[in-house]
Amino acid sequence: MEEKRILPLKPFNSNCIKFILAFPDYYEYGLPNLAIQVLYRKLYKIRDVLPDRYYLYTDDSKEKDKILEYKIPLKEADIVGFSIPYEGVILNFIKILDICGIPYKASQRQENDPIIVCGGPVVNCNPLPIAPFGDIFILGEGEELIKDLVNLYKNHKKNGYFNKKNFLNCVSQLRGCYVPAVHGFHGYGLIKQTKPIDINQFPSHSIFISKNTIYGEETFSIELRRGCNQRCRFCYMGTRLRPARTLKESTFKDLVDIGLRYSRIIKLFYEGLDPEYVEQCLEYIRGKGGKVRIGSQRLDKLSERIIKIIGEAGQRKLTVAPETTERLRGVIGKQKIRNKDILKIVEISSNCGIPDFGLYFIIGLPFETIRDIDEIADFIMEVREKMNSLGNINGYLEIGLNMLYPKPWTPFQYACTILPNEAEGRLQYLISKLSKGGYKVVVSTDVVDEKVERKKESVYKNLIKIETTIGTL
């Protein structure tokens, strides 16, 4: 796998603690995950620790139980840390344990089996559904905690002897660590999450760069802001990942300068930032000779200037998140977003040379009816027709469509989740309506396509591409 590395590979030493960071999906989706890269950087700096990564392999791979760089079996690791960013990869997490020969239930693992540590947004919201499968669950941000965890492991594995029970008892005393074997599986009481870190002290950015990812080009990513202050009622970020923190201008510029040594493409991740500040950041990248990329945008934080800059830099797609119908946006806390404003963004985007447009929707929200599914379909067709009227018939309209997973600590935490067969029914109804409208509909269970470099001429014109995990559960 061709990669550019900011940190050179450590020489292999079997006496070092082998701490492997695992992402429960394929390399092309997992490499861009900044959580893995940030924690790798932290582990790399700790003496006597040998970090490596693991990504899900295809079923026919001969190395599907091996870690990425040192090619030893994952089950020979001392500690395996899984990042679980969204519910759709939970089954992959268990699958990895199984295919690598690690008993997937913690109660079945022996002293010589790896310690399984789980973190990420899903865990921080609610670790209980997967509590039987992990030894330690990190509640909150792990940049500072990971060193304490390693030091405890060192202290408990002196002279080749290791007592797992004693180790887990000590870990349970660390702030932010839920240990099912100690705390139990029900009513474990108050476990405080880790203290929010200073992201200027621990900035999140790429240390591995490859074109063999969903981006399709070598991309250096920077987390410009962590957290969000918008508090949408279904979202974890504005309620649990607080406070929202933004990089200082000096820190941001230093990271851009580092990134440009390895890649001309700089991608920024942020939520809810004022467009004036974003414009300044994009202009700095452009002034340094870089090409900018941005992810999904909140409509009320998107300016024409931002769209123009990314269009001139060659970004292929702009994505916004209407989430649902205008009626239900009042329920979820996005009542300021109007369909007419989205159509205006479609026009600006096409006029700025961005061929593709993306929309994110959630189905299964409280108070949703078949009328809302009809209105979602009608609006998708309206956007498609807007693109066509602007001469952009070859551009893709990509629809990210998934069901609501109610998050603890949010106003929707007690909302009912619709059953998979019901979600499948609503999806098929939507597809049927789009098809009857005369549109070519392609459905993929892949993640939303982020590749920039592809032929602008599609085999399909007037295309609506639906990206969904519905039907895979």
Side-chain angles (χ1 to χ4, degrees):
M1 195 68 68
E2 294 183 10
E3 277 187 351
K4 289 182 179 177
R5 300 176 55 100
I6 291 180
L7 299 174
L9 186 66
K10 277 187 173 183
F12 182 79
N13 184 340
S14 60
N15 295 320
C16 287
I17 295 172
K18 296 180 284 295
F19 198 132
I20 313 305
L21 296 166
F23 189 86
D25 212 329
Y26 299 111
Y27 178 91
E28 60 184 309
Y29 310 128
L31 183 74
N33 180 265
L34 289 182
I36 295 291
Q37 304 210 34
V38 168
L39 294 176
Y40 185 103
R41 191 169 78 245
K42 290 292 296 180
L43 291 168
Y44 187 93
K45 296 178 180 179
I46 302 175
R47 185 180 177 184
D48 299 329
V49 172
L50 193 72
D52 201 342
R53 294 163 287 152
Y54 179 94
Y55 304 101
L56 189 66
Y57 290 83
T58 57
D59 290 338
D60 60 351
S61 172
K62 296 179 180 179
E63 297 185 330
K64 60 184 178 181
D65 66 330
K66 302 292 197 304
I67 60 179
L68 184 70
E69 293 165 330
Y70 297 109
K71 300 302 180 184
I72 63 172
L74 184 67
K75 66 181 180 181
E76 294 181 10
D78 296 295
I79 304 173
V80 180
F82 283 88
S83 177
I84 306 180
Y86 43 89
E87 292 85 355
V89 297
I90 289 176
L91 293 180
N92 282 346
F93 155 55
I94 299 171
K95 178 181 179 181
I96 288 170
L97 296 178
D98 187 42
I99 65 177
C100 292
I102 302 170
Y104 55 82
K105 283 194 174 182
S107 60
Q108 298 171 335
R109 294 195 281 269
Q110 305 299 316
E111 298 290 308
N112 60 338
D113 287 316
I115 298 294
I116 303 300
V117 183
C118 299
V122 169
V123 169
N124 195 28
C125 280
N126 182 14
L128 288 181
I130 57 173
F133 309 105
D135 296 299
I136 301 165
F137 294 85
I138 306 302
L139 308 183
E141 299 164 347
E143 284 92 333
E144 292 183 304
L145 178 60
I146 197 167
K147 186 174 182 179
D148 296 332
L149 198 62
V150 169
N151 287 336
L152 269 180
Y153 189 87
K154 284 182 180 181
N155 293 336
H156 281 79
K157 199 171 185 179
K158 292 180 178 178
N159 302 319
Y161 174 77
F162 179 69
N163 186 300
K164 182 177 180 179
K165 183 177 180 180
N166 289 343
F167 169 68
L168 292 178
N169 275 322
C170 291
V171 171
S172 71
Q173 304 302 310
L174 295 176
R175 177 170 177 168
C177 287
Y178 164 50
V179 182
V182 177
H183 295 116
F185 295 91
H186 305 284
Y188 55 82
L190 179 63
I191 298 175
K192 292 184 178 180
Q193 71 177 60
T194 58
K195 292 181 180 179
I197 67 160
D198 178 356
I199 67 168
N200 290 283
Q201 184 179 355
F202 301 100
S204 177
H205 61 83
S206 299
I207 57 171
F208 307 107
I209 300 169
S210 173
K211 66 180 180 180
N212 300 310
T213 70
I214 54 173
Y215 300 147
E217 56 187 354
E218 293 182 344
T219 302
F220 184 90
S221 298
I222 299 172
E223 183 185 45
L224 182 57
R225 191 187 212 198
R226 181 174 298 184
C228 181
N229 56 10
Q230 301 299 313
R231 297 196 180 187
C232 298
R233 291 171 185 157
F234 60 88
C235 184
Y236 142 88
M237 187 173 291
T239 55
R240 191 73 166 157
L241 192 59
R242 298 174 60 191
R245 289 146 285 163
T246 306
L247 289 179
K248 296 177 181 176
E249 182 180 352
S250 58
T251 306
F252 168 73
K253 289 181 177 180
D254 288 344
L255 292 179
V256 171
D257 293 346
I258 292 172
L260 289 175
R261 298 175 198 164
Y262 301 90
S263 169
R264 287 191 64 203
I265 308 296
I266 305 292
K267 184 163 187 173
L268 303 184
F269 291 94
Y270 56 88
E271 296 288 343
L273 271 177
D274 290 335
E276 292 81 8
Y277 182 69
V278 176
E279 289 168 10
Q280 292 175 17
C281 293
L282 300 183
E283 290 287 9
Y284 181 79
I285 295 170
R286 188 161 71 165
K288 286 283 187 171
K291 292 185 176 182
V292 297
R293 300 284 184 263
I294 58 176
S296 174
Q297 294 291 296
R298 187 178 173 97
L299 193 70
D300 53 349
K301 298 291 183 180
L302 185 59
S303 70
E304 186 170 350
R305 182 66 181 154
I306 291 174
I307 299 172
K308 183 177 180 181
I309 292 172
I310 65 171
E312 291 173 349
Q315 180 158 325
R316 177 178 65 80
K317 182 182 66 178
L318 178 64
T319 301
V320 298
E323 313 293 7
T324 184
T325 60
E326 289 189 338
R327 179 181 74 88
L328 287 183
R329 284 178 210 144
V331 175
I332 66 175
K334 285 193 168 184
Q335 58 270 21
K336 292 182 180 180
I337 298 177
R338 312 299 293 181
N339 288 353
K340 64 179 183 180
D341 298 323
I342 298 174
L343 292 171
K344 181 63 176 176
I345 294 298
V346 173
E347 180 177 354
I348 296 171
S349 178
S350 290
N351 290 339
C352 288
I354 302 174
D356 299 346
F357 201 80
L359 299 169
Y360 285 147
F361 288 100
I362 302 171
I363 62 173
L365 289 165
F367 311 111
E368 182 180 274
T369 68
I370 194 65
R371 175 184 170 187
D372 293 295
I373 306 300
D374 281 326
E375 290 185 15
I376 289 172
D378 289 340
F379 182 61
I380 290 172
M381 290 187 283
E382 191 174 2
V383 171
R384 180 68 264 184
E385 284 304 312
K386 183 69 172 179
M387 293 172 66
N388 295 350
S389 70
L390 295 164
N392 195 11
I393 195 169
N394 290 314
Y396 285 9
L397 174 57
E398 297 185 353
I399 309 299
L401 183 73
N402 287 293
M403 57 191 284
L404 172 70
Y405 294 95
K407 303 288 192 295
W409 316 105
T410 69
F412 282 0
Q413 64 178 337
Y414 297 119
C416 292
T417 304
I418 61 175
L419 296 174
N421 62 339
E422 188 176 1
E424 175 75 15
R426 296 185 193 188
L427 171 63
Q428 293 303 325
Y429 179 83
L430 180 74
I431 293 170
S432 174
K433 184 160 185 178
L434 296 174
S435 297
K436 288 178 181 178
Y439 300 93
K440 177 63 182 178
V441 181
V442 174
V443 181
S444 171
T445 56
D446 220 339
V447 298
V448 173
D449 180 18
E450 295 287 349
K451 290 185 178 179
V452 174
E453 295 178 355
R454 68 163 172 82
K455 292 181 179 180
K456 294 295 185 286
E457 288 292 331
S458 169
V459 293
Y460 301 122
K461 298 183 185 296
N462 207 25
L463 179 71
I464 298 175
K465 183 181 179 184
I466 297 179
E467 311 275 0
T468 182
T469 59
I470 296 171
T472 64
L473 301 177

